[in-house]
Amino acid sequence: MKWTSAFLTAGLLVMGTAACNNQEKTASETPAAGISKQAWGQADGQTVDLYSLTNSKGTIVKITNYGGIVTSFITKDKNDAASSIVVGFDSIAQYLQSPPYFGAIIGRYGNRIGGGKFSIGDQTYSLATNDGANHLHGGIKGFDKVIWTADPVSDTVASLSLHYLSKDGEEGYPGNLDVTVKYTLTDEDELRIEYDATTDKPSPVNLTNHSYFNLTGDVQATILDHQLQIDANGYTPVDAGLIPTGEIKAVAGTPFDFTTANSIGSRIDSVEGGYDHNWVLNSKGSSLQKVATLSDSVSGRYLEVFTTEPGLQFYSGNFLDGKFINHTGSAVKLRSALCLETQHFPDSPNKKEFPSTILEPGQKYHSVTVYKVGVKK
Ligand code: BGC
């Protein structure tokens, strides 16, 4: 369905009424549930917009169609104080200064492809290299820096569907890739992200979202005291350029063992540079399953990650350097925030032993990830 102001109004009315019936007492304090749109300036000579998705609990997710970026995810803490649990900015201008993928959709290939090269059959492809000799997060102008066509989806909860056609040869990738990413905010405080794609030539595809979380809502507090649990018995060790060696190593007895909840800071100093690795999930990407839980006792918030993907990149914000100022006015510094990026394994196009990331013409790429926020009072 195409965006119309009639839809917007009807959606707001219908969803607003439902919210009032459920929460009569707080209706005056809680913004109306639904979806709204505001003009948000220009990028690449085109107008971009900011969409606000609000659920009946008053949780708000803001998304711009520039890069499909989640700019804020505002939830209440144990004291009912609302703040954003993701790093972001209030203006498009800051996103145009290339922050390290804050909140963005990543594609065509999330994480690295070694040497920026891969082969399919006897054809070798050279990709844009933007991380030393390697290709990272789709290249110089990846999906995080393009303008997506936005359509609301008419439903009982607020959804935003984003569409982008990545042309044959873009950043060196073969084939026209037709991509749709649908964000939905449910009344259970889940941000559901559904990725769909088709291609007309075989191409690697590995889509993810690059939100940086700090559950305290305050990036002045580090994430070192957050507790993390990842349902993974293995991880993929990397070389000095952060390219997997191809091995899958057991986490048992290492600082990578998060099979039971551990604070991030407890063992981080024994991992050179901090955590920036792919965990091999026990779920193996077989179906949508809970794979990780992050929690913070200060705010009482916890975040559960569900995915259909076989891997999870836990990145502890190792390259954050204070250069960017969050919407709260604070600098985003080393360990201010962390990413939990659901994915296929890095450099899979060059690692025959890893699950394949090649999408063939006629096949449908479909991947689902859910970030669910809760609070312990
Ligand atoms: C990667 C890091 C990279 C960061 C960029 C993460 O997904 O794993 O190595 O530096 O993205 O912000």
Side-chain angles (χ1 to χ4, degrees):
M1 171 181 168
K2 284 273 170 264
W3 185 273
T4 62
S5 55
F7 166 80
L8 176 64
T9 312
L12 282 172
L13 278 177
V14 169
M15 298 174 81
T17 308
C20 285
N21 291 343
N22 294 338
Q23 299 193 353
E24 274 171 356
K25 280 190 192 143
T26 54
S28 55
E29 304 146 27
T30 308
I35 183 164
S36 64
K37 172 187 177 182
Q38 72 182 81
W40 218 44
Q42 295 235 321
D44 275 353
Q46 288 183 53
T47 303
V48 294
D49 297 305
L50 185 69
Y51 295 83
S52 297
L53 284 63
T54 305
N55 70 11
S56 62
K57 290 184 178 155
T59 297
I60 304 171
V61 172
K62 296 187 185 180
I63 302 163
T64 172
N65 62 321
Y66 174 76
I69 295 170
V70 175
T71 67
S72 42
F73 190 166
I74 302 167
T75 75
K76 290 184 188 136
D77 68 9
K78 66 181 179 192
N79 302 315
D80 275 344
S83 54
S84 177
I85 58 163
V86 297
V87 168
F89 304 132
D90 286 332
S91 81
I92 184 71
Q94 287 157 291
Y95 286 105
L96 297 179
Q97 287 162 20
S98 294
Y101 309 95
F102 289 175
I105 295 171
I106 304 296
R108 221 176 262 206
Y109 198 95
N111 215 283
R112 294 176 175 78
I113 296 181
K117 282 194 172 40
F118 65 93
S119 300
I120 300 179
D122 47 20
Q123 175 88 39
T124 297
Y125 295 93
S126 292
L127 301 172
T129 49
N130 58 331
D131 187 58
N134 301 323
H135 175 89
L136 174 66
H137 292 334
I140 294 161
K141 189 171 180 180
F143 292 0
D144 58 299
K145 294 184 185 67
V146 301
I147 299 176
W148 295 67
T149 308
D151 278 311
V153 179
S154 168
D155 215 330
T156 51
V157 287
S159 288
L160 181 71
S161 187
L162 298 172
H163 178 255
Y164 178 66
L165 176 66
S166 170
K167 298 259 174 69
D168 189 5
E170 191 176 287
E171 301 294 311
Y173 288 104
N176 291 294
L177 188 78
D178 208 293
V179 191
T180 301
V181 178
K182 182 177 163 194
Y183 286 108
T184 302
L185 175 64
T186 72
D187 282 336
E188 284 71 50
D189 284 341
E190 297 160 320
L191 176 61
R192 183 182 171 95
I193 315 177
E194 288 165 78
Y195 305 86
D196 287 281
T198 53
T199 184
D200 58 8
K201 282 184 191 166
S203 174
V205 184
N206 192 25
L207 305 176
T208 192
N209 174 275
H210 211 292
S211 287
Y212 286 75
F213 296 96
N214 182 322
L215 298 183
T216 68
D218 175 8
V219 296
Q220 290 184 67
T222 71
I223 44 79
L224 294 174
D225 290 334
H226 282 39
Q227 297 271 322
L228 179 63
Q229 186 267 331
I230 306 177
D231 195 8
N233 293 338
Y235 75 106
T236 51
V238 287
D239 68 14
L242 298 176
I243 302 295
T245 57
E247 231 182 317
I248 294 178
K249 240 182 161 170
V251 296
T254 77
F256 297 92
D257 189 352
F258 284 95
T259 48
T260 53
N262 243 289
S263 82
I264 289 167
S266 61
R267 298 161 301 170
I268 198 168
D269 290 338
S270 40
V271 180
E272 207 188 326
Y275 295 106
D276 191 1
H277 297 78
N278 170 64
W279 269 254
V280 177
L281 298 170
N282 293 339
S283 61
K284 295 188 164 62
S286 50
S287 57
L288 185 65
Q289 287 184 42
K290 183 155 96 178
V291 297
T293 306
L294 181 71
S295 61
D296 159 53
S297 59
V298 177
S299 63
R301 288 184 181 108
Y302 60 93
L303 177 80
E304 294 170 320
V305 184
F306 301 74
T307 191
T308 57
E309 287 298 310
L312 181 76
Q313 186 83 12
F314 161 37
Y315 169 56
S316 54
N318 309 338
F319 302 112
L320 296 174
D321 57 5
K323 192 172 143 203
F324 291 96
I325 309 297
N326 195 25
H327 28 37
T328 52
S330 305
V332 186
K333 296 186 284 206
L334 180 75
R335 317 267 186 259
S336 276
L338 62 88
C339 301
L340 295 169
E341 301 152 65
T342 55
Q343 61 183 8
H344 269 58
F345 309 166
D347 201 31
S348 295
N350 293 309
K351 300 283 185 314
K352 299 292 169 242
E353 58 276 40
F354 289 171
S356 172
T357 52
I358 305 298
L359 182 70
E360 303 281 345
Q363 287 181 337
K364 286 192 167 140
Y365 177 96
H366 181 66
S367 171
V368 182
T369 290
V370 176
Y371 294 105
K372 182 178 188 339
V373 191
V375 60
K376 265 198 195 128
K377 296 226 175 181

Short mmCIF file of all heavy atoms in Angstrom, two decimals, residues 330-356:
data_model
loop_
_atom_site.label_atom_id
_atom_site.label_comp_id
_atom_site.label_asym_id
_atom_site.label_seq_id
_atom_site.Cartn_x
_atom_site.Cartn_y
_atom_site.Cartn_z
N SER A 330 25.83 13.72 24.55
CA SER A 330 27.06 13.10 25.04
C SER A 330 27.85 12.46 23.91
O SER A 330 27.26 11.91 22.97
CB SER A 330 26.75 12.01 26.07
OG SER A 330 25.97 12.55 27.10
N ALA A 331 29.18 12.49 24.07
CA ALA A 331 30.05 11.88 23.07
C ALA A 331 29.94 10.36 23.14
O ALA A 331 29.87 9.77 24.22
CB ALA A 331 31.49 12.31 23.30
N VAL A 332 29.94 9.73 21.97
CA VAL A 332 29.88 8.26 21.90
C VAL A 332 31.32 7.75 21.89
O VAL A 332 32.02 7.82 20.89
CB VAL A 332 29.13 7.81 20.63
CG1 VAL A 332 28.93 6.30 20.64
CG2 VAL A 332 27.79 8.53 20.51
N LYS A 333 31.73 7.27 23.07
CA LYS A 333 33.14 6.90 23.25
C LYS A 333 33.35 5.38 23.24
O LYS A 333 32.40 4.61 23.21
CB LYS A 333 33.61 7.46 24.60
CG LYS A 333 33.57 8.99 24.62
CD LYS A 333 34.16 9.54 25.87
CE LYS A 333 33.19 9.38 27.01
NZ LYS A 333 33.30 10.31 28.11
N LEU A 334 34.64 5.02 23.33
CA LEU A 334 35.01 3.61 23.45
C LEU A 334 34.13 2.95 24.52
O LEU A 334 34.05 3.46 25.64
CB LEU A 334 36.49 3.54 23.87
CG LEU A 334 37.09 2.17 24.05
CD1 LEU A 334 37.35 1.51 22.70
CD2 LEU A 334 38.40 2.25 24.84
N ARG A 335 33.46 1.85 24.13
CA ARG A 335 32.61 1.07 25.05
C ARG A 335 31.34 1.81 25.50
O ARG A 335 30.73 1.44 26.50
CB ARG A 335 33.36 0.62 26.30
CG ARG A 335 34.75 0.10 26.04
CD ARG A 335 34.76 -1.40 25.84
NE ARG A 335 36.12 -1.89 25.72
CZ ARG A 335 36.69 -2.19 24.55
NH1 ARG A 335 36.02 -2.09 23.43
NH2 ARG A 335 37.93 -2.62 24.53
N SER A 336 30.97 2.88 24.78
CA SER A 336 29.71 3.57 25.09
C SER A 336 28.51 2.73 24.68
O SER A 336 27.40 2.95 25.16
CB SER A 336 29.59 4.88 24.29
OG SER A 336 30.24 5.94 24.91
N ALA A 337 28.70 1.83 23.73
CA ALA A 337 27.57 1.08 23.19
C ALA A 337 28.11 -0.17 22.48
O ALA A 337 29.31 -0.26 22.20
CB ALA A 337 26.80 1.94 22.18
N LEU A 338 27.22 -1.12 22.22
CA LEU A 338 27.62 -2.37 21.58
C LEU A 338 26.61 -2.78 20.52
O LEU A 338 25.46 -2.35 20.55
CB LEU A 338 27.75 -3.48 22.62
CG LEU A 338 26.49 -3.87 23.41
CD1 LEU A 338 25.69 -4.95 22.69
CD2 LEU A 338 26.86 -4.36 24.78
N CYS A 339 27.08 -3.60 19.59
CA CYS A 339 26.19 -4.10 18.53
C CYS A 339 26.02 -5.61 18.67
O CYS A 339 26.97 -6.31 19.05
CB CYS A 339 26.80 -3.83 17.16
SG CYS A 339 27.10 -2.09 16.83
N LEU A 340 24.82 -6.06 18.36
CA LEU A 340 24.51 -7.49 18.27
C LEU A 340 23.92 -7.70 16.89
O LEU A 340 22.71 -7.56 16.69
CB LEU A 340 23.54 -7.89 19.39
CG LEU A 340 24.09 -7.76 20.82
CD1 LEU A 340 22.98 -7.93 21.86
CD2 LEU A 340 25.22 -8.76 21.08
N GLU A 341 24.80 -7.95 15.92
CA GLU A 341 24.40 -8.00 14.51
C GLU A 341 24.16 -9.44 14.09
O GLU A 341 25.08 -10.25 14.08
CB GLU A 341 25.51 -7.41 13.64
CG GLU A 341 25.86 -5.98 13.96
CD GLU A 341 27.31 -5.67 13.60
OE1 GLU A 341 27.65 -5.72 12.40
OE2 GLU A 341 28.11 -5.39 14.50
N THR A 342 22.91 -9.73 13.76
CA THR A 342 22.57 -11.08 13.31
C THR A 342 23.01 -11.22 11.85
O THR A 342 22.87 -10.29 11.06
CB THR A 342 21.05 -11.29 13.45
OG1 THR A 342 20.38 -10.24 12.74
CG2 THR A 342 20.63 -11.25 14.90
N GLN A 343 23.56 -12.38 11.50
CA GLN A 343 24.20 -12.47 10.19
C GLN A 343 24.57 -13.90 9.82
O GLN A 343 24.52 -14.80 10.65
CB GLN A 343 25.50 -11.65 10.22
CG GLN A 343 26.49 -12.19 11.26
CD GLN A 343 27.79 -11.38 11.39
OE1 GLN A 343 27.94 -10.30 10.81
NE2 GLN A 343 28.74 -11.91 12.14
N HIS A 344 25.00 -14.09 8.54
CA HIS A 344 25.78 -15.25 8.16
C HIS A 344 27.22 -14.89 8.50
O HIS A 344 27.52 -13.74 8.81
CB HIS A 344 25.60 -15.58 6.68
CG HIS A 344 24.46 -16.53 6.44
ND1 HIS A 344 23.17 -16.27 6.83
CD2 HIS A 344 24.44 -17.77 5.86
CE1 HIS A 344 22.40 -17.29 6.50
NE2 HIS A 344 23.15 -18.22 5.91
N PHE A 345 28.11 -15.86 8.45
CA PHE A 345 29.46 -15.61 8.96
C PHE A 345 30.24 -14.69 8.02
O PHE A 345 30.08 -14.76 6.79
CB PHE A 345 30.23 -16.93 9.14
CG PHE A 345 29.49 -17.99 9.94
CD1 PHE A 345 29.94 -19.30 9.94
CD2 PHE A 345 28.38 -17.67 10.71
CE1 PHE A 345 29.28 -20.29 10.67
CE2 PHE A 345 27.71 -18.64 11.45
CZ PHE A 345 28.16 -19.95 11.42
N PRO A 346 31.14 -13.85 8.59
CA PRO A 346 31.96 -12.99 7.75
C PRO A 346 32.79 -13.81 6.76
O PRO A 346 33.20 -14.94 7.05
CB PRO A 346 32.88 -12.28 8.76
CG PRO A 346 32.12 -12.34 10.05
CD PRO A 346 31.36 -13.63 10.02
N ASP A 347 33.04 -13.22 5.62
CA ASP A 347 33.87 -13.81 4.56
C ASP A 347 33.36 -15.18 4.07
O ASP A 347 34.14 -15.96 3.51
CB ASP A 347 35.35 -13.92 5.01
CG ASP A 347 36.30 -14.03 3.82
OD1 ASP A 347 35.98 -13.46 2.75
OD2 ASP A 347 37.34 -14.68 3.94
N SER A 348 32.09 -15.44 4.24
CA SER A 348 31.55 -16.73 3.76
C SER A 348 31.78 -16.97 2.26
O SER A 348 32.03 -18.13 1.87
CB SER A 348 30.05 -16.84 4.04
OG SER A 348 29.83 -16.87 5.42
N PRO A 349 31.73 -15.92 1.40
CA PRO A 349 31.94 -16.22 -0.03
C PRO A 349 33.31 -16.84 -0.30
O PRO A 349 33.51 -17.47 -1.35
CB PRO A 349 31.83 -14.84 -0.70
CG PRO A 349 30.96 -14.05 0.23
CD PRO A 349 31.34 -14.52 1.61
N ASN A 350 34.27 -16.66 0.64
CA ASN A 350 35.60 -17.28 0.45
C ASN A 350 35.84 -18.46 1.38
O ASN A 350 36.97 -18.94 1.50
CB ASN A 350 36.68 -16.22 0.69
CG ASN A 350 36.65 -15.15 -0.39
OD1 ASN A 350 36.64 -15.46 -1.56
ND2 ASN A 350 36.57 -13.89 0.03
N LYS A 351 34.81 -18.88 2.09
CA LYS A 351 34.97 -19.98 3.05
C LYS A 351 33.92 -21.04 2.73
O LYS A 351 32.78 -20.96 3.19
CB LYS A 351 34.78 -19.47 4.50
CG LYS A 351 35.77 -18.38 4.93
CD LYS A 351 37.12 -18.95 5.25
CE LYS A 351 38.15 -18.00 5.81
NZ LYS A 351 38.34 -16.71 5.21
N LYS A 352 34.34 -22.00 1.92
CA LYS A 352 33.38 -23.03 1.46
C LYS A 352 32.80 -23.80 2.64
O LYS A 352 31.70 -24.37 2.55
CB LYS A 352 34.08 -24.00 0.49
CG LYS A 352 34.62 -23.32 -0.75
CD LYS A 352 33.50 -22.81 -1.68
CE LYS A 352 34.02 -21.91 -2.78
NZ LYS A 352 33.53 -20.53 -2.79
N GLU A 353 33.55 -23.84 3.79
CA GLU A 353 33.09 -24.61 4.95
C GLU A 353 31.97 -23.90 5.73
O GLU A 353 31.32 -24.51 6.57
CB GLU A 353 34.28 -24.95 5.87
CG GLU A 353 35.08 -23.77 6.41
CD GLU A 353 36.18 -23.24 5.45
OE1 GLU A 353 35.94 -23.17 4.23
OE2 GLU A 353 37.26 -22.88 5.94
N PHE A 354 31.75 -22.59 5.47
CA PHE A 354 30.69 -21.84 6.15
C PHE A 354 29.38 -21.97 5.36
O PHE A 354 29.41 -22.17 4.15
CB PHE A 354 31.06 -20.36 6.25
CG PHE A 354 32.18 -20.02 7.21
CD1 PHE A 354 32.72 -18.74 7.25
CD2 PHE A 354 32.70 -20.98 8.09
CE1 PHE A 354 33.75 -18.41 8.13
CE2 PHE A 354 33.73 -20.66 8.97
CZ PHE A 354 34.25 -19.37 8.99
N PRO A 355 28.23 -21.78 6.07
CA PRO A 355 26.95 -21.81 5.33
C PRO A 355 26.98 -20.79 4.18
O PRO A 355 27.50 -19.69 4.35
CB PRO A 355 25.92 -21.42 6.38
CG PRO A 355 26.56 -21.68 7.70
CD PRO A 355 28.04 -21.54 7.51
N SER A 356 26.45 -21.18 3.05
CA SER A 356 26.54 -20.33 1.84
C SER A 356 25.71 -19.05 1.98
O SER A 356 24.63 -19.03 2.58
CB SER A 356 26.04 -21.11 0.63
OG SER A 356 25.96 -20.23 -0.48
#
